[in-house]
Amino acid sequence: MASVDQRKVSEAVAGLLATAALTACGAEAPATPQPAQATAQAWPLTSEATHPCVGMWVTADNHIRQELLANGRYDEARGRRSSAYTGRYEVTGDHIDYWDDTGFTADGRFEGDVLHHGGYLFYREGSPAHRLAVATPGSSAS
């Protein structure tokens, strides 16, 4: 009986963690209950699920463009240099860790549609935060 209760608690905690991750990335929580995983897990998952932080993140001046791919890889362009930096990433809650293919590591923090990373502010491309940043000069540095 105790193992059934422990499993229910684990499922409830996993559901809350998933909702917190969605909220941290500016996504809305699912309208209907979703099956909970037994344990909390860093993204990317090996399933077909897509994390809400996947997509293009850009500085207000569009000089740096970082695409977080669904397969756990990222591709960052700088100015006219495409794929200036590539590597893998994992998102846990509102925190992102990067492992560049050249060996250096970095991290960042999501606040809705804003990503604080490497002394820059990145915006989910096309989001209200991005539109406001483009309209507000000097909004690329954190």
Side-chain angles (χ1 to χ4, degrees):
M1 187 66 156
S3 64
V4 172
D5 290 340
Q6 289 173 333
R7 184 171 48 94
K8 286 181 181 178
V9 169
S10 293
E11 289 174 356
V13 168
L16 289 172
L17 290 173
T19 300
L22 288 169
T23 303
C25 291
E28 293 183 19
T32 57
Q34 301 294 314
Q37 296 180 353
T39 60
Q41 189 168 0
W43 284 82
L45 294 176
T46 55
S47 73
E48 295 297 315
T50 301
H51 192 276
C53 295
V54 166
M56 186 64 74
W57 296 81
V58 299
T59 55
D61 63 4
N62 216 32
H63 180 73
I64 306 174
R65 301 177 56 80
Q66 184 179 94
E67 185 172 13
L68 300 180
L69 304 167
N71 64 358
R73 301 278 302 164
Y74 71 90
D75 190 324
E76 183 176 302
R78 295 218 172 193
R80 294 183 181 165
R81 185 176 172 207
S82 62
S83 299
Y85 298 98
T86 59
R88 68 182 182 91
Y89 74 92
E90 286 184 2
V91 175
T92 306
D94 67 351
H95 184 87
I96 184 168
D97 287 299
Y98 297 90
W99 293 270
D100 187 83
D101 291 337
T102 63
F104 74 86
T105 60
D107 65 350
R109 179 178 42 84
F110 292 97
E111 288 182 2
D113 285 333
V114 179
L115 167 59
H116 299 257
H117 166 64
Y120 293 94
L121 295 178
F122 290 82
Y123 304 90
R124 181 186 302 279
E125 189 172 51
S127 70
H130 180 222
R131 289 190 297 274
L132 179 62
V134 169
T136 308
S139 55
S140 290
S142 57

